[in-house]
Amino acid sequence: MQILAVDDDPIILELLKQFIDAIGNHDVTTAESGLEALDVIEAHDPDHFECFLLDIQMPGMDGIELTRQIRGLEQHADTPVLMLTAMTDKRYIDAAFAAGATDYITKPFEVAELTARITLVEGLVQARNSRTKKIFATQSMPEVGNSVAIFEPFSIYDVDNVIDYMAMENYVTQLSRNALFGSTTFAFTIREVQEFHDVMTSFEFYSMVSDIAEVISDTLSGKQYLMSYAGSGTFVCVTESGWRPAVSQLMDAINLSLATTELYDNNGARLQPRVSVGESVRLIWKASTSVLEALGVAHSSAEAAADAHIKAKKNLWTLTEGQTA
Amino acid sequence: MNDVAPGLERVKMRFLAMLQDREQQIAQHNLLTRNAKSEVEVTENLSGSRNILHQISGTAGSLGFAELGSFARDCENAIIYCLEQPEGQSVKERDLVLDAIDGFVEDCRNLIAAHE
């Protein structure tokens, strides 16, 4: 991979070079400030850099603002950004993830830790690139069916507080690692998502999911949270600062907003998706594996709520038909 | 994986060379904080020390100086605490932090001497 490392401390840059050279198969370019980094990116081919390692705390433009600027570049919307931080202050870490960071590495770091993270990122990026290509390949070919499996998570761009699912997993793992408490996870599932998926192209499905993400994001505006699309029509949210939502009211507000939002498929037919919400699960005092399990519980309960809603609707139809017969 | 040791040794030497300059800067900031005539001067000098300590704490551990890195982190956190207090905080409390930073400077000098 071609890696751009940015840190105002020359010792960190030298360390990164030595450690990454030791891993092999990667080239490191360095910059000592955010502004220099942007110049370096501009001086290379648009898709030259495949991974960024950014210090959070730098004089002038800090790593959070630099991440925001990098994410604003079309070719780097998906490029992994690993933050380097000595900070344990959750505010900086939350801001870094909200700005688009993929993960973070705590300083001082060891070669084994850096190797593990970079190897992981490399593998996941290859898998994600393949998915993204499948989605956008059908943008100009609506006759092609849905080539992205329903269970696959994908990246949603330019929606406030929506981050990549891989970044979400890293975020909650780090939360527990640093014993940061007070967060809650819950999830929304698009009702009858399988039916939507079956009749839509990958791009139509992607567009609908992105639009729903935007509606949810607008509804949650002003709250402290991060959200990601976890696949199977489910959005997983993690709240911050002790906010625990009244999920049922939240679902009603989202569905009301969806009802007034005009969504259409490629043939101009009106789409009327609705979501169900599952139980909210507190992340307090959980080990990292348990935190990931908590996300899974939130995900499953939202899917179960969506299924229960459909079943209840069908039962109601059966009852109504029985009465009219 | 390639052998990281020779390259790491070079980085370690550079770290120690820079540490000499950094500890002098911290000592200077500490002195100016003790003699400060205004809170602005105190904040400026404590912030200066904090930034240098932040850099040391971020790298020392990776280069085999874990104890120094940990001491730098403790001093950095103590300064952050001081800076977050309202004006007119206990001078005695601040002096304790400055004493700790003096101790850190001394540890830096000992480490440099041990590697000469």
Side-chain angles (χ1 to χ4, degrees):
Chain A
M1 278 195 301
Q2 291 290 339
I3 299 170
L4 176 61
V6 188
D7 199 303
D8 62 309
D9 184 354
I11 298 290
I12 283 284
L13 295 178
E14 283 194 32
L15 262 176
L16 286 171
K17 272 186 177 173
Q18 293 300 332
F19 284 180
I20 293 170
D21 277 353
I23 299 170
N25 299 323
H26 303 298
D27 289 321
V28 185
T29 305
T30 60
E32 291 193 13
S33 71
L35 287 176
E36 188 189 340
L38 293 174
D39 287 343
V40 169
I41 293 168
E42 201 180 329
H44 286 81
D45 289 338
D47 55 356
H48 179 78
F49 291 110
E50 298 163 292
C51 178
F52 296 99
L53 296 174
L54 312 180
D55 184 26
I56 286 192
Q57 192 182 31
M58 291 188 285
M61 184 189 295
D62 64 16
I64 296 166
E65 177 55 28
L66 180 58
T67 302
R68 216 170 274 127
Q69 300 256 352
I70 287 172
R71 287 288 178 241
L73 301 170
E74 195 182 339
Q75 69 274 21
H76 292 306
D78 263 337
T79 311
V81 175
L82 301 184
M83 308 302 290
L84 302 168
T85 177
M87 293 174 189
T88 49
D89 190 331
K90 188 169 173 286
R91 284 171 300 176
Y92 288 99
I93 293 161
D94 291 348
F97 276 97
T102 313
D103 198 358
Y104 76 86
I105 300 169
T106 309
K107 293 193 280 190
F109 46 79
E110 300 293 334
V111 67
E113 188 189 4
L114 192 68
T115 305
R117 299 293 183 85
I118 287 180
T119 306
L120 183 71
V121 156
E122 196 178 18
L124 292 172
V125 164
Q126 282 167 2
R128 187 171 55 188
N129 283 347
S130 157
R131 263 198 313 276
T132 306
K133 277 177 190 156
K134 278 189 210 166
I135 291 168
F136 288 98
T138 61
Q139 186 174 5
S140 55
M141 295 181 288
E143 71 279 7
V144 177
N146 202 323
S147 54
V148 174
I150 191 166
F151 58 82
E152 289 191 71
F154 48 71
S155 302
I156 291 170
Y157 305 101
D158 300 326
V159 180
D160 289 345
N161 293 61
V162 176
I163 64 172
D164 186 82
Y165 191 64
M166 175 174 57
M168 176 65 92
E169 287 187 326
N170 290 330
Y171 173 74
V172 293
T173 307
Q174 302 275 24
L175 273 182
S176 55
R177 191 186 302 166
N178 290 294
L180 299 167
F181 308 123
S183 294
T184 297
T185 181
F186 58 96
F188 300 99
T189 294
I190 303 168
R191 293 173 190 159
E192 297 174 304
V193 67
Q194 185 70 59
E195 282 76 357
F196 284 117
H197 185 267
D198 288 347
V199 299
M200 287 176 156
T201 66
S202 298
F203 186 72
E204 279 180 308
F205 185 70
Y206 171 80
S207 301
M208 182 188 75
V209 169
S210 297
D211 288 340
I212 295 171
E214 195 153 4
V215 167
I216 297 174
S217 172
D218 288 347
T219 309
L220 293 176
S221 174
K223 305 290 187 190
Q224 283 191 290
Y225 73 100
L226 291 172
M227 178 172 82
S228 71
Y229 178 65
S232 303
T234 299
F235 302 89
V236 177
C237 302
V238 174
T239 70
E240 301 160 20
S241 305
W243 172 54
R244 195 175 192 193
V247 286
S248 177
Q249 289 169 14
L250 199 54
M251 178 182 78
D252 291 344
I254 290 165
N255 284 333
L256 181 64
S257 183
L258 281 170
T260 55
T261 304
E262 296 189 354
L263 303 175
Y264 297 94
D265 67 11
N266 279 354
N267 299 317
R270 179 92 187 257
L271 298 170
Q272 295 186 312
R274 298 289 183 270
V275 297
S276 286
V277 66
E279 61 179 293
S280 64
V281 183
R282 278 202 185 275
L283 298 179
I284 299 169
W285 301 113
K286 288 185 185 293
S288 59
T289 46
S290 307
V291 171
L292 288 176
E293 280 168 18
L295 254 64
V297 169
H299 186 149
S300 304
S301 78
E303 286 186 358
D307 288 345
H309 180 90
I310 303 305
K311 201 172 166 189
K313 203 164 84 175
K314 278 179 184 161
N315 286 345
L316 188 66
W317 285 339
T318 311
L319 186 68
T320 314
E321 279 174 11
Q323 281 175 343
T324 52
Chain B
M1 186 180 284
N2 302 321
D3 185 10
V4 74
L8 208 54
E9 199 52 36
R10 278 195 300 276
V11 183
K12 193 186 275 190
M13 289 301 113
R14 185 158 181 217
F15 172 84
L16 288 168
M18 287 181 77
L19 188 61
Q20 197 157 13
D21 183 43
R22 286 171 167 177
E23 58 88 353
Q24 284 169 6
Q25 287 182 50
I26 293 170
Q28 177 72 3
H29 281 306
N30 230 29
L31 188 64
L32 290 171
T33 307
R34 284 189 196 279
N35 298 330
K37 300 273 188 297
S38 68
E39 282 300 314
V40 173
E41 217 178 323
V42 167
T43 301
E44 274 177 10
N45 283 292
L46 282 178
S47 301
S49 289
R50 180 202 56 200
N51 294 344
I52 302 166
L53 288 160
H54 178 76
Q55 291 189 320
I56 295 170
S57 68
T59 51
S62 305
L63 294 165
F65 306 125
E67 207 174 317
L68 186 83
S70 178
F71 198 174
R73 172 70 37 78
D74 290 343
C75 290
E76 182 193 355
N77 287 337
I79 291 176
I80 290 169
Y81 169 79
C82 270
L83 291 173
E84 283 174 351
Q85 300 312 302
E87 275 192 28
Q89 67 178 305
S90 157
V91 174
K92 196 176 169 190
E93 204 172 39
R94 186 193 294 159
D95 281 345
L96 286 175
V97 175
L98 296 178
D99 289 347
I101 296 171
D102 279 338
F104 174 77
V105 168
E106 197 179 322
D107 275 12
C108 288
R109 287 175 184 163
N110 291 337
L111 185 74
I112 293 162
H115 285 81
E116 275 175 353

